[in-house]
């Protein structure tokens, strides 16, 4: 594939606490703030605690899920249709507006060059990057991290959406990626998970430094998972109450191929529910925040993407 | 030891959702309600969702920790000093009042004979009973469960308090015990943890049936842990912010003897903090809800208690 050139990554934002009970990002930011008082050469690092009120009360969000507020349409609605933000405006919409002003505006030349948002999951997903399949920069960051972290699998989920329709915070940057790391209970900081996040953030910085210094990142293949479908918990048709738990043979088996006939749920009345669909890879298995979204697990295909060699545009 | 006789355990209460984000109890109750429409012989089973508003919003509590509201003094305060309960009364104080009326009054002849309250922890504590060292009934239930569940260790924590000073819900019953089962993230239901809870509840019912039927439970020894001390996370003396995570060599090692020199914390700046105290057993290691209580882990001694044989009083 033909060599692709990008402008330097001069302004890099690291965000955490977008969900206020996912602790790795909250603590990572505190450390980054202490460390980067001395600037990192020509790169300006911006650290942002995205949802301070949710962090304060250790909840995912106050009024609504902040990480679903960043489609271009929602950002426009806040600015135009709602008029001035009032006390009645949901807190997260105000924060989306503020973050878009600070780190964007989304889709503009003023936006930060790279936005890395740190999340945790209660699912056994290890270190997982969520990124856009049409953007070579985060895909090369994935490849860089995979080549350096050999002790643990580094997986990725592709979001196949144009940036304008992407609802999550990292879509505000010119290039964006989410670190999704688990398993970690909400409100708890685990050292093992924190260390994975720290290593991934440092390798991202290393990539940025090398990229800006003129290093060519060779092309090649990366493997990742698409998001094809999701499966809800079995529910009582009358009350809507959940009537089964994720089966212990599926629990913690994120990214292990699911085949027809495999057990997926165990009803409280005793019976096992088996999988009826086509062979796909499950992830976000039994993620805490997805109960309210009616998702017991997400299903995806494993795909390969071929990357071109990239390097920085020379003046 | 001399044989001890007790009146029959005619009214048994099983409570869950005392902390609204601990899911095993919430789901266990739903199943018990379905199953016990047909009554269980001479035993009347009462199932209570202790904190429905906290369950609804999937939080530990709304205004204050319900499971700290049941000392005799606090229950009297609500009734006498505060006068009629108003909209300004913290929700959990109102619930404590209602639960005390429904399941107690604490210390009275009207109280339920046995109160079993189901909790979860994010700590790796497996199946653990919390009970009063001065009450033979729950101690014999512990011994019964230990003798039947051989696949997993069944541990116990003794609370050495007179019932009047006990702050937790199970102290409202004539006899009480708490099931504390983990690790499970808040807001998540794990099948493995649910199965432990279910087995323990069923063995408790089995004990009650046999006891009421006149079976003699032989004396013997049970082993358990006292609560001697607790250790807070290292904090910044100015801001109060936590500056270290629980060390990965201590994380998940609940009930494994801690010796002087063992690593207990890893500072974000890199250094390891080692343990300086006497040899004790840690538990509730990195429990989510204890961050706000300034407890990184609890320390206890392992002790043995000798139980007398017990059986039901004949008329």
């Amino acid at each position: 594939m033909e060599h692709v050139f990008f402008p330097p990554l001069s302004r890099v934002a690291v965000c955490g606490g977008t969900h206020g009970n996912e602790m790795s990002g909250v603590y990572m930011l505190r450390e980054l703030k202490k460390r980067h008082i001395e600037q990192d050469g020509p790169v300006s690092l911006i650290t942002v605690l995205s949802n301070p009120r949710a962090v304060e009360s250790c909840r995912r969000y106050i009024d609504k899920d902040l990480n679903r507020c960043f489609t271009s349409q929602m950002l426009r609605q806040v600015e135009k249709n709602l008029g001035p933000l009032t006390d009645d405006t949901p807190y997260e919409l105000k924060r989306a507006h503020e973050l878009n002003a600070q780190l964007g505006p989304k889709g503009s030349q003023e936006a930060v060059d790279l936005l890395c948002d740190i999340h945790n999951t209660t699912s056994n997903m290890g270190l997982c990057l969520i990124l856009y399949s049409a953007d070579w920069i985060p895909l090369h960051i994935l490849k860089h991290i995979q080549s350096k972290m050999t002790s643990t699998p580094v997986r990725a989920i592709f979001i196949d959406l144009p940036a304008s329709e992407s609802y999550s915070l990292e879509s505000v940057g010119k290039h964006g990626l989410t670190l999704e790391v688990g398993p970690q209970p909400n409100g708890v900081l685990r050292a093992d998970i924190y260390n994975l996040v720290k290593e991934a953030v440092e390798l991202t910085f290393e990539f940025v430094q090398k990229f800006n210094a003129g290093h060519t990142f060779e092309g090649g293949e990366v493997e990742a998972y698409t998001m094809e479908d999701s499966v809800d918990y079995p529910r009582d048709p009358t009350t809507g109450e959940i009537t089964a738990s994720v089966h212990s043979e599926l629990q913690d088996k994120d990214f292990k191929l699911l085949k027809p006939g495999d057990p997926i749920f165990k009803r409280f009345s005793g019976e096992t529910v088996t999988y009826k669909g086509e062979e796909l890879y499950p992830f976000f298995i039994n993620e805490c925040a997805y109960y309210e979204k009616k998702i017991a697990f997400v299903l995806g295909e494993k795909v390969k993407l071929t990357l071109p060699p990239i390097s920085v545009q020379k003046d």
Side-chain angles (χ1 to χ4, degrees), chain A:
Chain A
M1 284 174 89
E2 209 166 323
H3 199 113
V4 181
F5 297 91
F6 290 94
L9 302 168
S10 308
R11 293 172 64 232
V12 174
V14 178
C15 303
T18 304
H19 295 134
N21 53 11
E22 300 177 2
M23 303 314 283
S24 293
V26 175
Y27 283 94
M28 189 75 237
L29 283 183
R30 288 187 191 153
E31 288 315 298
L32 285 178
K33 274 183 189 162
K34 281 181 200 160
R35 220 178 48 179
H36 281 267
I37 296 171
E38 70 280 13
Q39 282 290 348
D40 251 323
V43 176
S44 123
L45 175 70
I46 306 155
T47 54
V48 181
L49 190 70
S50 314
N51 196 334
R53 275 187 56 197
V55 171
E56 176 74 23
S57 38
C58 202
R59 289 159 61 184
R60 183 174 176 89
Y61 56 80
I62 300 297
D63 294 321
K64 61 186 294 177
D65 191 334
L66 176 61
N67 212 33
R68 301 292 182 275
C69 293
F70 294 96
T71 64
S72 298
Q73 192 188 7
M74 286 183 81
L75 292 170
R76 268 198 310 274
Q77 270 182 352
V78 172
E79 281 167 39
K80 293 191 181 158
N81 301 2
L82 293 182
L85 300 175
T86 68
D87 282 355
D88 293 339
T89 311
Y91 173 68
E92 277 79 11
L93 279 187
K94 287 192 227 177
R95 277 305 288 159
H97 182 81
E98 291 165 4
L99 290 164
N100 189 45
Q102 182 182 2
L103 304 172
K106 176 167 170 166
S108 77
Q109 271 311 308
E110 289 72 49
V112 294
D113 296 301
L114 177 64
L115 198 162
C116 171
D117 195 25
I118 303 171
H119 287 257
N120 291 122
T121 171
T122 62
S123 306
N124 185 24
M125 286 169 60
L127 175 60
C128 181
L129 277 65
I130 305 180
L131 35 76
Y132 301 97
S133 48
D135 184 356
W136 302 132
I137 294 271
L139 284 164
H140 264 284
I141 292 174
L142 166 65
K143 188 163 171 282
H144 182 70
I145 296 176
Q146 282 179 334
S147 72
K148 296 292 180 109
M149 281 179 78
T150 49
S151 59
T152 188
V154 181
R155 299 189 183 93
I157 297 169
F158 286 157
I159 303 177
D160 197 13
L161 279 178
S164 65
E165 288 172 40
S166 296
Y167 43 72
S168 44
L169 173 57
E170 84 281 358
S171 72
V172 169
K174 288 200 192 79
H175 310 282
L177 67 95
T178 292
L179 294 176
E180 184 71 78
V181 196
Q184 181 172 267
N186 292 338
V188 169
L189 183 79
R190 285 185 63 99
D192 50 357
I193 300 300
Y194 182 77
N195 289 341
L196 290 180
V197 170
K198 191 175 171 181
E199 199 171 346
V201 168
E202 281 171 359
L203 287 169
T204 302
F205 290 163
E206 185 183 272
F207 173 92
V208 170
Q209 300 280 10
K210 282 184 144 185
F211 178 83
N212 288 344
H215 180 84
T216 293
F217 290 87
E218 294 303 335
E221 273 193 340
V222 290
E223 193 177 79
Y225 299 85
T226 60
M227 294 174 98
E228 300 297 323
D229 204 357
S230 70
V231 176
D232 189 16
Y233 297 87
R235 291 176 190 268
D236 182 304
T238 318
T239 63
E241 276 178 0
I242 290 171
T243 55
S245 60
V246 166
H247 198 283
S248 46
E249 286 186 34
L250 178 62
Q251 177 72 48
D252 303 329
K253 302 297 191 313
D254 300 74
F255 301 112
K256 185 175 165 283
L257 187 64
L258 189 63
K259 295 176 186 169
D262 286 347
I264 51 175
F265 296 109
K266 176 99 173 224
R267 292 192 199 276
F268 299 125
S269 51
E271 311 94 71
T272 293
V273 179
T274 58
Y275 180 59
K276 305 268 184 295
E278 56 179 328
E279 289 193 1
L280 285 169
Y281 293 86
F283 44 90
F284 281 119
I285 297 171
N286 210 7
E287 154 59 32
C288 178
Y290 288 2
Y291 279 69
E292 68 175 19
K293 299 184 201 293
K294 298 193 187 298
I295 296 174
F297 52 92
V298 176
L299 288 166
E301 284 179 4
K302 198 196 284 194
V303 293
K304 282 187 177 166
L305 243 78
T306 307
L307 310 189
I310 64 165
S311 58
V312 73
Q313 250 163 31
K314 301 272 162 58
D315 295 321

